[in-house]
Amino acid sequence: MKLKDFSIFIILNLFSAIAWSQTYEVEGYVYDKANQKPLESVMIYDKVKGLLTETDTSGYFTFETSKKQLTLVFYGFEFEIVERVINAETDSNLVINIETLSQELSEVQITARNEKVFELNRLKDTEGTAIYAGKKTEVVQVDQSMANLATNNARQIYSQVVGLNIYQNDDAGLQLNIGGRGLNPNRTSNFNTRQNGYDISADVLGYPESYYTPASEGLQQIQIVRGAASLQYGTQFGGLVNFVMKKPNPNKNLEVITRNTGGSFGLYTNFTSFSGTKDNWSYYAYANYKRGDGFRPNSEYESINVFSHVGYQFNEKTKLTGEVTYLNYLAQQAGGLTDAMFDEDPFQSNRERNWFEVNWLLYNLEFSHEFSEQTNFTFNFFGLKAQRNALGFRTNRVNQIDPNQERDLIASDFNNFGFEARLLNKYTLLNKDATFLIGTKFYNSNNQEQQGAGSDGFGADFSFQNEAFPAYPNQSVFDLPNTNVALFGENIFYISDKLSVTPGFRLEYIKTESDGFFRRINTDAAGNVIDDQTIEDQRSFERSFVLLGMGLSYKLNKQVEMYANISENYRSVTFSDINISNPAFAVNPDITDEEGFTTDVGFRGNYKNFISYDANIFALSYQRRIGFVQKVLNDNRVISERGNVGDALIYGVESLVDFNLKKILSLGSEYGLNFFVNTSFINSEYTQSQQSGIEGNKVEFVPDLNFKTGLRFAYLDFAASMQYTYLSSQFTDASNSVESSLSGVIGELPQYDVLDFSFSYRYQNFKLETGVNNLLNEKYFTRRATGYPGPGIIPSAPRNWFATLEIKF
């Protein structure tokens, strides 16, 4: 798209935002029915379009609407939900009385109420200063999950998110590894990962991996937007994963929740949160401690995660919030296995000197202001100061016995900051509703990465020993600064009450740099240095481009919606991948960026509250996809090389169907019974490649069938659930190698299935949760690691149990 045409597009949208037509103003007060006290922070929803506003400290609310008749829903924390049908022309002054919830609510009643709130909170066309119309969106209501939250069990937490491929090698949940639609799950690097709307990964462009994952016990929901998120949130093919933290309790000065968990392999966790509201101030904070021995030898871990949120409400239209997150963890890593080692004993380890450490400090300051009922503005200033250290003996032959010499040490420092500003305006054009969003993002990072000799000891000593071991071959130091400036916008045009069209754009400027040196050291057979060169390496790569996209939504009625979207995607190659020496693979020196597009066509809805569903077909087109191929060198050695393999097409059908068996079977109000089926059928193909033997092959990380199903039963305060997961086999390299390499890095990921069971019981302020994961004790693996925590096969956990006691004050 030419920049001239692009400018005209923006100007036309800006002019259309000032168009005008008839609107109605509705205002009123919300009171506690028992004592007639005004209630703050009661949320008022339009049952069709979502959140409209919320009450201030005097219980007052106001909003404008172009609809004469609408159904309002009033939701207050710890209060009954109230629905009211109003005529905006005549019912302009409302008085709403709501009742306090009974303290004797059963688990079934709490679940039913949460499901009602979920319906109100699902991602509507607009949320805050974001647009989701016509996009493939999914929301995980964490509080409704029967998952093992204490260990962030991703297989269970994301069970109703379609098509996800998950690395299941961490029984502590220290890192989240999810992918989908042929995207590598490693540290969720193909998604734009955010917390309360701001970035949390190491470096969005240069190293988009997430070493920090919020404690699931502190989450309200997880929002996932597929590839069409590239316009608003960043260019990644996977889309957006946004962790929404729990909110401060608006009706108490202090609320304390503490959860203690014990389980297999020495697991112990404590999660304690504090929450409350006083006058114009509100806060939510938690501390989360974990320790365990791990399910393999040499895999102990310990972590502490602290999160704090403080908000100040200047008035009903203006709010300032600040958040700080800190994570520190140290984990011993048992190393990878070859296929033969896995077959012999999947839980063995021949590495006792490998360690991994993370220090993560995130901060964010958000200013939000409501200029009017139609116009909202948010400004986020965010940053990260973090370190990650990886230490160990990681030879390409993973079955080799550790000689107890110097270890390989990689130390990375991440320092970045940025801001994102968004303005959303709801207006009318030719007597039709419309919504316009314009935003900008600035991102700057200045990262450092060093590789060299570590100590020859056994402990977690992360100091470099290059002077003691001057002939160590893998020595390098690099500065990796990156700069990113983006301008983005979308506009919803409501062609009719049922049909909307949402075009959008993202203008990107990216500058990635690499400045440093590496040493090339050659030794003779006796280990004497015969050649030692220091090679300077400076690179700078600038590019500017425009991504375009469009979404369509057709709401047949309140229960059924059809949607479609197409958006361009882009992924910058990471210099950090190129600069690190890895014995398990080589990097093609001509490696460059990936680009392509994602499209979805689907329908979603609810049939008389008997069945809820979301089914779609998708296609993901990749140009210059980065992956691994097997190459034969001149000396007949076979190596794995990482580079631009070729162009690929991934397409398939995804569906989630949830059956409300309670209503289907006409069970009593004291029961709850749901059954879900989550299915993905995916096909893939390399359509073009300059590498021999690749064209026509399947794409890596694409199981033909990804199937999950589960049943949840509840009676009064008792609840139980069972979940089954199955994934067919998948390849890990573009050569479609079935047999493994010597390092265990390349080879097939065999099919596997896992069965989980859990139950809970609530009594007043106490709640007991327990369960068994991998009930049938399946021996399987989901990952062949190219680097840490391998290289090689990383087994998944055997049968294990957990028990959690929650106390709420």
Side-chain angles (χ1 to χ4, degrees), residues 641-659:
E641 183 183 78
R642 185 172 186 270
N644 299 99
V645 175
D647 298 344
L649 178 65
I650 304 166
Y651 55 94
V653 178
E654 302 170 329
S655 69
L656 173 68
V657 184
D658 196 325
F659 300 89

Side-chain angles (χ1 to χ4, degrees), residues 270-548:
N270 173 268
F271 175 89
T272 301
S273 66
F274 306 88
S275 174
T277 301
K278 177 67 173 177
D279 298 327
N280 291 350
W281 293 92
S282 61
Y283 66 94
Y284 176 75
Y286 69 71
N288 182 217
Y289 173 77
K290 295 181 182 180
R291 70 164 185 258
D293 300 325
F295 60 89
R296 298 172 64 196
N298 309 314
S299 57
E300 62 181 282
Y301 56 86
E302 186 174 32
S303 76
I304 181 71
N305 174 209
V306 178
F307 169 79
S308 61
H309 163 101
V310 177
Y312 183 78
Q313 189 82 42
F314 291 95
N315 50 54
E316 65 272 14
K317 294 186 176 183
T318 307
K319 187 175 184 179
L320 183 67
T321 61
E323 293 183 355
V324 176
T325 304
Y326 174 72
L327 169 71
N328 171 263
Y329 76 79
L330 176 66
Q332 190 176 13
Q333 299 193 322
L337 307 175
T338 65
D339 287 61
M341 294 171 70
F342 180 85
D343 292 339
E344 176 189 347
D345 178 6
F347 307 119
Q348 64 177 294
S349 167
N350 64 352
R351 298 287 179 263
E352 56 180 329
R353 303 193 304 139
N354 290 15
W355 297 88
F356 195 81
E357 180 188 48
V358 167
N359 284 287
W360 220 253
L361 179 65
L362 287 161
Y363 55 89
N364 179 70
L365 190 67
E366 180 183 49
F367 174 78
S368 60
H369 179 70
E370 184 181 302
F371 289 102
S372 68
E373 292 297 327
Q374 282 73 40
T375 307
N376 292 326
F377 172 78
T378 57
F379 179 88
N380 274 285
F381 177 81
F382 57 88
L384 168 71
K385 184 174 178 57
Q387 299 85 37
R388 107 354 155 189
N389 298 306
L391 172 70
F393 173 67
R394 58 191 193 108
T395 178
N396 185 40
R397 293 178 177 267
V398 298
N399 59 357
Q400 181 180 336
I401 302 301
D402 187 346
N404 295 327
Q405 298 173 347
E406 70 272 22
R407 293 171 286 180
D408 190 71
L409 174 59
I410 302 173
S412 303
D413 291 316
F414 305 106
N415 295 277
N416 61 60
F417 69 91
F419 66 81
E420 186 173 84
R422 290 167 169 259
L423 178 70
L424 185 140
N425 176 250
K426 296 181 179 180
Y427 64 99
T428 55
L429 179 67
L430 303 177
N431 292 324
K432 298 294 183 182
D433 290 342
T435 302
F436 176 66
L437 167 70
I438 189 74
T440 185
K441 180 179 180 181
F442 172 81
Y443 184 86
N444 178 269
S445 65
N446 187 14
N447 305 325
Q448 294 81 39
E449 200 155 51
Q450 181 175 355
Q451 183 176 14
S455 77
D456 58 359
F458 283 78
D461 178 0
F462 297 108
S463 61
F464 282 96
Q465 306 289 324
N466 292 331
E467 293 184 3
F469 306 101
Y472 187 74
N474 301 329
Q475 297 187 44
S476 62
V477 179
F478 281 93
D479 290 325
L480 303 165
N482 294 315
T483 303
N484 175 219
V485 181
L487 176 70
F488 56 89
E490 293 194 44
N491 201 119
I492 308 175
F493 296 100
Y494 290 97
I495 309 303
S496 68
D497 292 339
K498 295 183 177 182
L499 176 64
S500 68
V501 180
T502 308
F505 70 91
R506 186 177 186 91
L507 173 62
E508 285 272 343
Y509 167 79
I510 300 174
K511 182 179 182 181
T512 51
E513 299 176 81
S514 175
D515 185 3
F517 67 88
F518 62 91
R519 293 178 64 184
R520 182 175 292 162
I521 301 174
N522 296 318
T523 59
D524 59 22
N528 300 308
V529 176
I530 56 177
D531 184 31
D532 184 351
Q533 300 180 57
T534 298
I535 301 174
E536 302 288 338
D537 187 0
Q538 291 88 29
R539 284 180 261 182
S540 181
F541 187 19
E542 286 187 79
R543 55 270 205 213
S544 300
F545 53 89
V546 177
L547 300 181
L548 299 177

Side-chain angles (χ1 to χ4, degrees), residues 131-180:
I131 285 177
Y132 301 110
K135 295 177 173 60
K136 170 73 173 176
T137 65
E138 294 153 296
V139 178
V140 177
Q141 292 295 107
V142 180
D143 276 348
Q144 294 180 32
S145 171
M146 289 288 289
N148 181 359
L149 300 182
T151 59
N152 291 353
N153 191 310
R155 181 176 69 241
Q156 299 168 7
I157 293 172
Y158 297 87
S159 63
Q160 295 194 43
V161 179
V162 295
L164 284 190
N165 201 349
I166 303 171
Y167 282 162
Q168 302 169 35
N169 57 269
D170 178 6
D171 64 335
L174 296 176
Q175 291 181 7
L176 178 66
N177 295 281
I178 61 174

